[in-house]
Amino acid sequence: MKEYLIQTFKYNDQANRAVLSAIQNLPAKEEAIKLFSHLITAQDKWFNRIEKKVDDSTLTWFGPVFSEQELAGRWEQSVANWITLLERETESGLENYVTFKRPSDGKMMGVSLKDLSLQLNYHSIHHRAQINCLISQQGHKVPLTDYIFTALKEID
């Protein structure tokens, strides 16, 4: 499972970089930048819930919206944090719970590192599709980001 999760983050990294490149060519890119920024802030908020470097209540899901120039570097750091975390984790450690206080009611909540990692990658796919709709609506070619293109192997 560990290797699968690492490969999934690497796939999403490659796909999101392709989408980020397409965003740069859009005439109206504000909404796409907002969605891409959200991918970063969501990953960073969950990462902070593991590392507990800052008070969780100071981090939001939708904000800040990064400048176009900041996106690539922020994304690179965010995904690198997750891949490094997973590379140093044991298989059994993937079942450990990440705990946090739910802001809406103060209840203590928990989710396994494995499920959290899967959620972040599925979340990325969801918002990448939204961004691809924006790209298409503006008459630009949507980058090929289907997972199958990373999994296909030529068979002799």
Side-chain angles (χ1 to χ4, degrees):
M1 177 57 76
K2 173 181 168 173
E3 193 55 38
Y4 173 76
L5 293 173
I6 292 168
Q7 290 307 314
T8 303
F9 270 99
K10 288 180 178 180
Y11 152 69
N12 269 303
D13 179 34
Q14 176 185 0
N16 284 348
R17 286 175 192 262
V19 167
L20 184 56
S21 180
I23 289 171
Q24 312 221 337
N25 296 319
L26 295 178
K29 50 185 96 177
E30 296 78 18
E31 187 63 24
I33 289 172
K34 181 179 171 186
L35 287 167
F36 204 94
S37 293
H38 168 65
L39 288 175
I40 297 166
T41 58
Q43 280 191 176
D44 290 351
K45 184 170 175 79
W46 280 112
F47 189 77
N48 183 69
R49 285 181 169 175
I50 296 167
E51 299 289 311
K52 300 185 185 326
K53 296 219 176 189
V54 300
D55 179 0
D56 186 59
S57 68
T58 66
L59 301 176
T60 65
W61 298 112
F62 289 96
V65 174
F66 302 115
S67 72
E68 181 179 353
Q69 295 74 28
E70 290 178 284
L71 287 176
R74 294 270 187 170
W75 172 255
E76 184 178 323
Q77 184 59 59
S78 182
V79 77
N81 286 342
W82 278 95
I83 291 171
T84 300
L85 172 79
L86 291 170
E87 286 175 339
R88 71 174 186 243
E89 190 57 70
T90 63
E91 281 291 332
S92 62
L94 296 173
E95 298 301 329
N96 291 338
Y97 271 64
V98 174
T99 59
F100 61 97
K101 191 178 287 190
R102 186 167 54 192
S104 62
D105 60 9
K107 278 189 174 180
M108 285 305 294
M109 303 297 292
V111 61
S112 73
L113 180 56
K114 173 188 73 177
D115 288 335
L116 176 53
S117 297
L118 289 170
Q119 162 57 24
L120 289 172
N121 284 290
Y122 299 153
H123 182 247
S124 193
I125 293 167
H126 169 74
H127 288 303
R128 190 166 52 247
Q130 290 177 312
I131 295 169
N132 279 340
C133 283
L134 294 169
I135 293 168
S136 179
Q137 288 167 358
Q138 293 183 45
H140 288 258
K141 186 177 178 183
V142 174
L144 292 176
T145 59
D146 286 10
Y147 175 76
I148 195 67
F149 296 117
T150 66
L152 284 173
K153 304 291 183 236
E154 193 171 309
I155 306 296
D156 292 324

